[in-house]
């Protein structure tokens, strides 16, 4: 099987994906929850995205978390480290009382990062679930993220939407003067800074051209990014290393996850006019306030919220 390798041409950049025999570990379903006798006892009615009517015999107990599908969606399969929008209800397995729930209001689904949700069973329940599905989850005490003595909990989760796991656009020709980028099967980039002086102005190139919605100045975008300092060649910030994509306001750089909560506007404003599914490289000078050094960014545009 042919294995792709990185090639530097005229000090430019050729973005390539390390495919060959590699597979994406984030798409592996081995750790996803399976159906079981406890989750199969949960009866659910109602439309997807609306508050469900839920019943189950009490007390209900399990020492192993389980997942049963109530409504089978026909969308893409959810991966680890992907942002998804869900509606959910959680019930006490002993009494049947509601412990917590989302609002189920229009356009107010909860945005959660699969893999780092504070209820561990939610992460493995959402893995390999299709968008558009409703699932019933029997949560073992050890997977509840709280006091294990609380007992089993029952959750009903609607997977309303999922943003792209990585840029899926068409690879574009390289541009001279940009770093070399190599992509892991997950989509995480490795960036090699070329020789030459650090950037003193903002420049960008499109590595992959997406075909989704267009980013505007007032957009809030779901992105994965890595920035490498031009001088010291170290990673400055990376959502890939943090374990989930970021939600960023393009015009202000306001970030949901970045340290300091603001990204350089030189970088975020370079996203304007790009389409969802694109991957771009952005060279930025050092921030005037000293918060970011001159850097090379690789940004995957995964959605607009």
């Amino acid at each position: 099987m042919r294995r792709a390798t990185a090639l530097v041409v005229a000090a430019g950049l050729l973005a390539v994906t390390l495919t060959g025999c590699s597979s994406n570990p984030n798409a592996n379903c081995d750790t996803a929850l399976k159906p079981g006798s406890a989750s199969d006892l949960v009866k659910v009615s109602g439309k997807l995205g609306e508050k469900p009517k839920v019943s189950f015999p009490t007390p209900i107990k399990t020492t192993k978390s389980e997942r049963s599908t109530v409504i089978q969606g026909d969308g893409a399969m959810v991966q680890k480290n992907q942002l998804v929008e869900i509606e959910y209800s959680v019930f006490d397995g002993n009494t049947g009382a509601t412990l917590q729930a989302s609002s189920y209001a229009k356009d107010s689904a909860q945005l959660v990062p699969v893999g780092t949700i504070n209820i561990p069973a939610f992460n493995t329940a959402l893995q390999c679930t299709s968008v558009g599905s409703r699932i019933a989850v029997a949560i073992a005490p050890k997977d509840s993220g709280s006091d294990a003595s609380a007992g089993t909990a029952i959750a009903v989760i609607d997977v309303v939407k999922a943003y792209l796991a990585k840029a899926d656009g068409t690879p574009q020709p390289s541009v001279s003067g940009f770093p070399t980028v190599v992509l892991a099967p997950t989509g995480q980039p490795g960036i090699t800074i070329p020789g030459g002086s650090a950037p003193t102005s903002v420049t960008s190139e499109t590595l992959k051209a997406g075909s989704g919605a267009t980013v505007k100045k007032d957009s809030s975008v779901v992105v994965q990014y890595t920035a490498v300092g031009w001088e010291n060649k170290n990673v400055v910030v990376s959502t890939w290393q943090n374990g989930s994509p970021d939600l960023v306001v393009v015009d202000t750089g306001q970030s949901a996850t970045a340290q300091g909560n603001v990204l350089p506007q030189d970088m975020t404003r370079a996203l304007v006019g790009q389409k969802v599914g694109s991957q771009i490289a952005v060279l930025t000078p050092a921030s005037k306030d000293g918060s970011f050094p001159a850097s090379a960014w690789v940004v995957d545009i995964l959605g607009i919220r």
Side-chain angles (χ1 to χ4, degrees), residues 107-127:
D107 299 325
S108 66
Q110 300 293 301
L111 185 66
V112 296
V114 179
T116 58
I117 304 170
N118 60 6
I119 302 176
F122 271 42
N123 296 306
T124 48
L126 288 168
Q127 271 184 268

Side-chain angles (χ1 to χ4, degrees), residues 78-132:
V78 173
Q79 299 181 18
K80 185 179 178 182
N81 295 350
Q82 189 171 12
L83 279 185
V84 300
E85 293 184 1
I86 64 171
E87 299 283 7
Y88 69 93
S89 297
V90 182
F91 305 90
D92 188 318
N94 288 319
T95 66
T98 301
L99 297 176
Q100 58 178 294
S102 58
S103 69
Y104 293 93
K106 184 178 180 181
D107 299 325
S108 66
Q110 300 293 301
L111 185 66
V112 296
V114 179
T116 58
I117 304 170
N118 60 6
I119 302 176
F122 271 42
N123 296 306
T124 48
L126 288 168
Q127 271 184 268
C128 301
T129 296
S130 299
V131 175

Side-chain angles (χ1 to χ4, degrees), residues 23-35 67 76-80 123-130:
S23 59
N24 181 358
N26 289 341
N28 190 304
C29 294
D30 289 349
T31 58
L33 296 185
K34 306 297 190 293
R67 172 191 66 189
M77 191 172 290
V78 173
Q79 299 181 18
K80 185 179 178 182
N123 296 306
T124 48
L126 288 168
Q127 271 184 268
C128 301
T129 296
S130 299

Side-chain angles (χ1 to χ4, degrees), residues 228-253:
V228 173
W230 196 274
E231 300 292 350
N232 63 17
K233 312 298 191 288
N234 293 330
V235 173
V236 177
V237 64
S238 175
T239 55
W240 296 97
Q241 292 182 359
N242 293 342
S244 72
D246 198 358
L247 179 65
V248 177
V249 180
V250 170
D251 190 40
T252 65

Side-chain angles (χ1 to χ4, degrees), residues 2 27 35 39 84 115 143 162 167 177-178 185 192 194 213 217 234 244 250 277 289:
R2 186 173 62 86
S39 61
V84 300
D143 299 326
F178 280 78
T192 302
K217 185 178 179 180
N234 293 330
S244 72
V250 170
D289 63 1

